[in-house]
Amino acid sequence: MSTVRVLVGTHKGAFILTSDGKREAWDISGPHFAGWEIYHVKGSPADPNRLYASQTSGWFGQKIQRSDDGGRTWNPVGDKFAYDGTPGTHMWYDGTQHPWEFKRVWHLEPSLTDPDAVYAGVEDAALFRTADGGQTWQELPGLRSAKGHLWQPGAGGMCLHSIIIDPANPKRLYVAISAAGVFATEDGGQTWRAANRGLVSPFQLPDPDAEVGHCVHCIAMHPSRPGILFMQKHWDVMRSDDSAQSWREVSGNLPTDFGFPIEVHAHEPETIYVVPIKSDSEHFPPDGKLRVYRSRTGGNEWEPLTKGLPQKDCYVNILRDAMAVDTLDKCGVYFGTTGGQVYASADSGDTWKPIARDLPAVLSVSVQTLA
């Protein structure tokens, strides 16, 4: 029987939740790196026992941890993230220019084929890569050449938080930056184009044709259709059918189109999941009811999924990297909350149950489906 491993990063350590394919009973390991902020934990598709974790602290800085045995033991690897050349400046909150400064690693995206190769999205926004299992990291500076001087932080900082590798063409990548937008490369990161046509951000950008400056919260793609992407933006759920050449809104009948995560069903590429939050100033579910919304039509038509989720007095948030799906049939869906709960559905979202409670605030959730 298959095994499912859920990797959870929190404000005070990492936790590993493990179950068999029935996904009924869960063993919890952790906290690993207790007391540290773990922004992301991700396993390699090429070697499921190879895990990477971003460990950060306002006091002690940034560290990258690596496990070669599925999270039983960990070792620190390289933690030097130096911008290439003279970094220059970017837009600051007040419209002035501000020096580029490295703060932390938000997201780790291992190569689909090489366990030693990993991309890292960092704050201040840039893309780094390792080819030696995390020992050394090199920036792909071409990304910041895509009008980086106009990028401006969102409320949570200027972070590169989403990295998607096209499984049909590993030199094609998409990244998303808050609050700069989506960027795409066709040559492995040497050159980049802004990929924000069709996005509208009237509160942040008076210019409806602005090429950069959109506050994108998360992007997702089904591996069988790498030309179709989905986006949760700071207001609006969006869809692209042309490899991010253009976007159109698919918020439809959602109770609010503000939220952070977005995910795609493992076997149904037109089935997507979001978790609406009341507003950009009130980061909790509308009416205090925790509801995941599912669209089986690629957007526009949405249904609330509530069975097993609290439907009163619930005021948690679900962050951008805190939702994931497994590849079993039926597809499992997982998300973590700032209240420290991790919820799981073993039936594509029809029913839910908490598989961990009272953890520190959850920053990220990723899933491995093991043979």
Side-chain angles (χ1 to χ4, degrees):
M1 180 179 287
S2 298
T3 299
V4 177
R5 185 189 290 152
V6 179
L7 309 174
V8 181
T10 81
H11 266 297
K12 294 294 181 181
F15 297 82
I16 300 176
L17 286 58
T18 308
S19 181
D20 61 23
K22 293 181 180 178
R23 296 161 291 183
E24 294 175 351
W26 293 83
D27 295 324
I28 301 177
S29 167
H32 305 270
F33 326 113
W36 288 72
E37 292 180 308
I38 307 299
Y39 268 67
H40 201 215
V41 189
K42 193 74 181 280
S44 166
D47 177 359
N49 283 320
R50 174 70 63 84
L51 311 180
Y52 294 90
S54 170
Q55 173 186 355
T56 186
S57 161
W59 291 103
F60 302 111
Q62 173 70 51
K63 295 183 180 297
I64 299 294
Q65 297 279 351
R66 189 180 97 190
S67 174
D68 297 315
D69 55 12
R72 288 187 291 274
T73 62
W74 295 84
N75 293 290
V77 285
D79 55 13
K80 184 178 181 182
F81 291 84
Y83 296 105
D84 186 75
T86 303
T89 60
H90 63 80
M91 196 82 74
W92 195 234
Y93 292 99
D94 60 3
T96 63
Q97 287 291 303
H98 186 82
W100 232 279
E101 298 175 317
F102 173 82
K103 295 180 179 65
R104 60 181 62 84
V105 174
W106 278 71
H107 185 95
L108 294 164
E109 193 65 33
S111 160
L112 302 177
T113 56
D114 181 357
D116 286 332
V118 186
Y119 292 97
V122 311
E123 177 191 359
D124 285 340
L127 185 65
F128 284 78
R129 187 178 186 274
T130 181
D132 56 13
Q135 300 297 339
T136 60
W137 297 87
Q138 294 79 39
E139 188 197 5
L140 300 177
L143 174 60
R144 289 189 295 115
S145 300
K147 298 190 175 181
H149 65 290
L150 296 178
W151 301 356
Q152 191 171 17
M158 195 173 75
C159 54
L160 194 160
H161 51 70
S162 298
I163 304 170
I164 294 179
I165 305 169
D166 184 340
N169 177 8
K171 290 190 174 183
R172 176 182 292 154
L173 290 86
Y174 304 93
V175 302
I177 297 169
S178 177
V182 174
F183 299 85
T185 179
E186 304 285 339
D187 55 17
Q190 298 303 306
T191 61
W192 295 81
R193 63 175 174 87
N196 301 302
R197 186 166 174 253
L199 302 186
V200 179
S201 303
F203 298 107
Q204 292 95 9
L205 295 174
D207 179 5
D209 298 317
E211 194 173 9
V212 301
H214 299 276
C215 190
V216 176
H217 285 177
C218 190
I219 54 175
M221 180 187 75
H222 193 279
S224 71
R225 299 193 308 177
I228 299 177
L229 292 97
F230 298 97
M231 173 195 297
Q232 174 67 68
K233 191 169 67 67
H234 187 123
W235 307 115
D236 305 330
V237 177
M238 307 293 291
R239 173 184 176 132
S240 174
D241 294 295
D242 54 11
S243 302
Q245 297 288 341
S246 64
W247 297 88
R248 58 186 173 90
E249 185 180 354
V250 292
S251 304
N253 62 317
L254 288 171
T256 166
D257 53 3
F258 187 90
F260 289 98
I262 189 166
E263 268 296 344
V264 187
H265 190 289
H267 313 297
E268 302 171 8
E270 285 290 290
T271 297
I272 53 179
Y273 302 88
V274 297
V275 186
I277 300 300
K278 185 176 180 182
S279 72
D280 54 356
S281 61
E282 297 175 281
H283 286 183
F284 52 79
D287 305 316
K289 299 177 180 180
L290 182 55
R291 294 168 289 184
V292 176
Y293 275 75
R294 177 175 63 195
S295 173
R296 296 187 184 273
T297 58
N300 290 317
E301 299 171 352
W302 297 88
E303 59 177 325
L305 308 175
T306 62
K307 191 173 182 180
L309 300 177
Q311 294 305 295
K312 66 176 182 177
D313 304 325
C314 183
Y315 296 97
V316 297
N317 193 8
I318 294 84
L319 302 180
R320 69 184 90 241
D321 240 344
M323 181 177 249
V325 299
D326 68 30
T327 58
L328 294 178
D329 190 12
K330 296 181 175 181
C331 174
V333 189
Y334 308 82
F335 69 91
T337 79
T338 54
Q341 301 85 30
V342 179
Y343 288 97
S345 171
D347 51 16
S348 304
D350 290 340
T351 61
W352 300 87
K353 69 175 183 179
I355 58 174
R357 303 188 72 103
D358 306 318
L359 301 183
V362 175
L363 298 175
S364 68
V365 173
S366 65
V367 179
Q368 295 177 289
T369 309
L370 311 174

